[in-house]
Amino acid sequence: MSERCEVVVLGLGAMGAATVYQLAKTGVNVVGIDRHHPPHNLGSSHGDTRITRLSVGEGAQYVPIVRNSHRIWRELEALTGESLFEQSGLLVLTSSPEFDPADKTDFTLRTINLAQTYGIEHEVLNATQIRQRFPQFSDVHDTAIGYFEPDGGFVRPERCIDVQLRLAGQHGAILHKGETVTAISSDEQGVTVTTDRRTLLANKLVISAGNWSGELLGKPFENLLSVYRQKLFWFELEEDTGLVGHSPTFIFTHGRGDDKVNYGFPALAGEGSLKIATAQYHTVTSPQDIDRTVSAAEAQDMYEQQVKGRIAGVTSTVLKSAVCAYTVTPDRHFIIDAHPSLQHTLFVSACSGHGFKHSAALGEAFAQWCMRGSSDLDLSSFSLKRFEGETTNAHTPGPQQNNLNRA
Ligand SMILES: Cc1cc2nc3c(=O)[nH]c(=O)nc-3n(C[C@H](O)[C@H](O)[C@H](O)COP(=O)(O)OP(=O)(O)OC[C@H]3O[C@@H](n4cnc5c(N)ncnc54)[C@H](O)[C@@H]3O)c2cc1C
């Protein structure tokens, strides 16, 4: 026997949890399905913290989205009493012997330009000011430049997902966890979603399957999406480090190319550590093959390349580590579009490693699409059309994509 509903949301991570919550809140009869038990640590939405910032150096198209997300995180906090979004302040800095102040692709300069264009509150800092205010950055060249955004900070991904799924359930959403979608078909009447336990007939389907999207959907997605394993490290603080209460969320460019960027989060009271990470786009993997453990050699390499001599107040001891994975498009922007062959279906979750900060607002926009076929936010720049003619797998980003996205 098939079950009927208005909307199925496939995948209940960052994007799916936000979508199912927004739909249920509006009274839509929605069913959410996830092969695991979100929030879980097998996709792209775990690891305690995610950066959020209003001046999104990846591009102006993201600014209205993240603004809406900040509003929604606060609404969710008011509804639940949970702490989801911490405005710790955000420092974006470039300090490198190779830094060229005329280089328009530099991430810090792009962030400053965007903040100026959109009237986002910020300060521009020179080397002396960075050294005075943030002495933990111990490798500040005289040409260094910093951007400080007081409203930036971090969100708690697992809590955000948990809260939205809980509220969705309270509004009547049916959530099937530990259940895998195995087939999808559509016709003029609607969409048929088959899982390992049931068949659902829906008017609309939102696919937010993250890392699994390529294998689930085949072409064109399997050719466009690359899964990259990423590592997260929590380095033990030195005694009396002075960092607790005095460290911002940060993105630190110390040379050219992806390997010369790290990002991190404030040292939080009671945790005794500073979380620091980088992003890699060299080696692709898949959700089945990904190595989910971090080796001692990887931890040592991270300390040597990214921390030693650059960030003071932390030791080389790794208290905790995690593996997480990006789902990346050839230009490192999102894909949000109607599925090219499945009718009534929106594909939303290739977020190229910088999607969490936008997820609350995107969930609201996807709910609007389900209800009326369009959204208040302009999402046209994320269309699939921009990749028409792409024939090869996108595993090696082209040079124009360097320095593009920063978590
Ligand atoms: C290490 C790391 C650091 C990051 N840092 C930042 C940051 O600082 N700021 C920021 O904004 N973003 C950041 N991101 C990106 C952001 O976290 C992701 O873009 C976002 O979490 C992706 O959400 P998603 O819903 O697309 O995928 P996921 O949360 O992975 O959800 C996909 C879900 O689909 C389910 N699923 C898959 N296939 C099926 C199926 N066949 N049937 C049923 N269920 C299925 C999975 O179980 C999963 O729960 C980071 C990502 C990583 C990995």
Side-chain angles (χ1 to χ4, degrees):
M1 269 283 281
S2 304
E3 299 166 26
R4 275 220 75 97
C5 63
E6 285 176 82
V7 181
V8 168
V9 177
L10 192 176
L12 299 175
M15 300 299 155
T19 309
V20 90
Y21 161 61
Q22 294 289 343
L23 283 164
K25 188 177 91 156
T26 326
V28 172
N29 171 10
V30 55
V31 174
I33 306 170
D34 201 289
R35 67 194 303 152
H36 298 298
H37 289 81
H40 60 77
N41 62 2
L42 300 167
S44 300
S45 302
H46 58 279
D48 301 348
T49 45
R50 288 291 187 268
I51 296 176
T52 185
R53 48 201 152 86
L54 290 173
S55 184
V56 186
E58 287 84 351
Q61 66 273 37
Y62 296 97
V63 175
I65 311 178
V66 77
R67 279 195 204 279
N68 279 359
S69 279
H70 283 197
R71 164 182 54 81
I72 295 169
W73 304 131
R74 290 299 185 225
E75 287 169 8
L76 289 166
E77 287 179 331
L79 279 171
T80 62
E82 295 269 6
S83 164
L84 304 177
F85 170 26
E86 194 145 331
Q87 283 170 304
S88 61
L90 168 91
L91 178 69
V92 182
L93 79 154
T94 298
S95 172
S96 151
E98 297 147 337
F99 175 56
D100 170 5
D103 176 6
K104 297 245 180 321
T105 67
D106 176 77
F107 190 75
T108 306
L109 293 179
R110 284 212 315 260
T111 303
I112 292 169
N113 286 340
L114 206 68
Q116 287 166 347
T117 307
Y118 284 85
I120 294 163
E121 187 182 346
H122 70 282
E123 291 171 73
V124 177
L125 308 176
N126 62 27
T128 310
Q129 291 164 318
I130 298 168
R131 288 183 195 121
Q132 277 167 356
R133 282 184 51 186
F134 304 107
Q136 62 266 43
F137 296 100
S138 44
D139 185 28
V140 176
H141 293 257
D142 288 343
T143 58
I145 181 146
Y147 164 90
F148 184 74
E149 184 181 291
D151 292 336
F154 64 90
V155 285
R156 302 272 191 180
E158 291 92 342
R159 275 188 216 164
C160 292
I161 290 172
D162 187 46
V163 154
Q164 290 173 103
L165 291 181
R166 249 192 297 133
L167 289 175
Q170 287 168 16
H171 285 291
I174 296 170
L175 305 178
H176 297 304
K177 298 185 183 175
E179 186 165 327
T180 302
V181 172
T182 52
I184 308 166
S185 62
S186 70
D187 61 22
E188 263 126 56
Q189 268 71 54
V191 190
T192 303
V193 177
T194 308
T195 77
D196 47 10
R197 303 222 192 123
R198 76 195 79 229
T199 300
L200 287 145
L201 303 178
N203 302 341
K204 302 270 187 209
L205 169 65
V206 177
I207 300 180
S208 43
N211 294 178
W212 291 263
S213 301
E215 65 168 40
L216 177 72
L217 299 173
K219 285 186 181 139
F221 300 97
E222 67 183 358
N223 289 346
L224 293 174
L225 305 182
S226 303
V227 176
Y228 291 100
R229 172 179 178 266
Q230 310 295 351
K231 295 158 286 182
L232 303 168
F233 300 88
W234 285 256
F235 285 99
E236 186 172 29
L237 297 178
E238 286 172 0
E239 265 180 51
D240 303 325
T241 182
L243 278 180
V244 180
H246 297 101
S247 59
T249 303
F250 64 88
I251 301 174
F252 180 10
T253 301
H254 53 84
R256 286 192 180 280
D258 295 315
D259 299 342
K260 300 285 172 60
V261 180
N262 61 54
Y263 64 90
F265 295 85
L268 301 173
E271 295 197 352
S273 64
L274 196 77
K275 179 185 165 191
I276 308 174
T278 52
Q280 70 85 20
Y281 303 89
H282 304 296
T283 312
V284 289
T285 185
S286 68
Q288 301 78 22
D289 297 332
I290 190 166
D291 179 355
R292 297 192 186 275
T293 53
V294 176
S295 69
E298 287 177 320
Q300 190 184 344
D301 184 61
M302 175 72 185
Y303 181 77
E304 297 287 336
Q305 301 302 323
Q306 302 292 341
V307 182
K308 191 175 166 187
R310 302 189 196 287
I311 300 170
V314 293
T315 70
S316 61
T317 304
V318 172
L319 290 184
K320 183 170 125 179
S321 61
V323 165
C324 194
Y326 290 178
T327 308
V328 180
T329 71
D331 63 6
R332 299 198 196 174
H333 288 289
F334 300 172
I335 295 175
I336 298 171
D337 206 343
H339 190 283
S341 54
L342 289 169
Q343 297 174 69
H344 324 290
T345 300
L346 189 65
F347 173 80
V348 305
S349 119
C351 301
S352 297
H354 55 112
F356 203 94
K357 66 179 79 57
H358 305 291
S359 58
L362 289 174
E364 188 179 55
F366 304 152
Q368 291 166 352
W369 178 88
C370 291
M371 291 182 290
R372 55 171 213 242
S374 65
S375 61
D376 294 344
L377 286 170
D378 178 5
L379 303 176
S380 55
S381 66
F382 306 124
S383 140
L384 256 177
K385 281 189 208 75
R386 70 189 195 273
F387 298 122
E388 266 169 20
E390 292 267 351
T391 48
T392 51
N393 200 302
H395 288 171
T396 315
Q400 78 279 11
Q401 288 132 19
N402 282 341
N403 283 319
L404 191 70
N405 59 331
R406 295 284 175 263

